[in-house]
């Protein structure tokens, strides 16, 4: 039974990944992490790989290749990982007890509750509500 319509991708090596210069991978990896993590671009709902590529002066194919090589995931999964990590902190913070799941979802950059729940379940194996109940004890 597949809960929350989550599909796990099998590992596939894109042929273009082997053609990317390792120095470029290291350089872009650092820039990507800086932009997404440190500048918290993952909170922006409409921030795409195309936006990221434009800001870094490259193209989205290189962004995709670097994420695949360096992190083993695509852009959406990479960004959602940061969103889930922040949402976990918000869920267990007593100051946020009055926030709804929709508000937390919105704060970390998800467009809707369904995507938030599906991504959370994919990374954590439980729903956000279950996570909150387990970690608030």
């Amino acid at each position: 039974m597949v809960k929350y319509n989550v599909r796990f991708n099998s590992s596939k090596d894109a042929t273009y990944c082997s053609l990317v210069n390792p120095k470029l991978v290291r350089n872009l990896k650092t820039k990507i992490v800086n932009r997404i993590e440190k500048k918290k671009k993952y909170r922006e709902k409409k921030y795409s790989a195309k936006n990221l590529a434009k800001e870094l002066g490259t193209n989205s194919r290189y962004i995709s290749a670097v994420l695949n090589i360096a992190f083993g995931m695509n852009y959406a999964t990479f960004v959602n990982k940061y969103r889930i990590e922040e949402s976990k902190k918000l869920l267990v913070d007593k100051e946020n007890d009055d926030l709804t799941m929709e508000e937390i979802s919105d704060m970390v950059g998800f467009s809707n509750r369904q995507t938030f729940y599906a991504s959370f379940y994919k990374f954590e194996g439980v729903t956000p509500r279950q996570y909150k109940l387990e970690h608030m004890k």
Side-chain angles (χ1 to χ4, degrees), residues 2-129:
V2 179
K3 194 168 187 177
Y4 295 108
N5 201 22
V6 174
R7 286 180 268 149
F8 295 95
N9 296 333
S10 60
S11 178
K12 297 178 188 173
D13 289 330
T15 54
Y16 63 87
C17 287
S18 62
L19 303 175
V20 180
N21 179 330
K23 186 177 178 181
L24 176 69
V25 171
R26 285 190 304 277
N27 186 20
L28 269 178
K29 176 184 174 186
T30 302
K31 289 179 179 181
I32 290 168
V33 169
N34 183 50
R35 200 56 77 158
I36 298 296
E37 181 180 339
K38 295 194 171 96
K39 296 192 185 273
K40 299 193 185 296
K41 289 291 190 173
Y42 60 86
R43 289 181 178 170
E44 297 178 23
K45 291 178 180 71
K46 303 230 186 246
Y47 194 74
S48 67
K50 194 173 186 175
N51 298 123
L52 177 61
K54 187 176 180 181
E55 287 180 10
L56 298 181
T58 188
N59 65 53
S60 56
R61 289 182 74 79
Y62 279 126
I63 297 295
S64 177
V66 169
L67 290 174
N68 234 304
I69 293 166
F71 300 101
M73 57 184 80
N74 64 24
Y75 176 80
T77 304
F78 181 75
V79 170
N80 286 343
K81 181 183 78 143
Y82 285 101
R83 291 173 174 165
I84 296 304
E85 287 305 313
E86 184 171 352
S87 71
K88 286 170 29 182
K89 292 173 190 167
L90 294 172
L91 286 167
V92 298
D93 188 344
K94 297 240 185 249
E95 291 183 21
N96 299 322
D97 278 349
D98 59 329
L99 295 177
T100 66
M101 290 299 160
E102 288 79 9
E103 289 170 324
I104 289 175
S105 167
D106 188 59
M107 288 171 67
V108 298
F110 283 101
S111 297
N112 60 60
R113 190 179 69 100
Q114 184 178 0
T115 305
F116 172 54
Y117 267 72
S119 294
F120 199 98
Y121 189 84
K122 179 179 178 182
F123 283 102
E124 298 301 317
V126 295
T127 66
R129 232 174 263 297

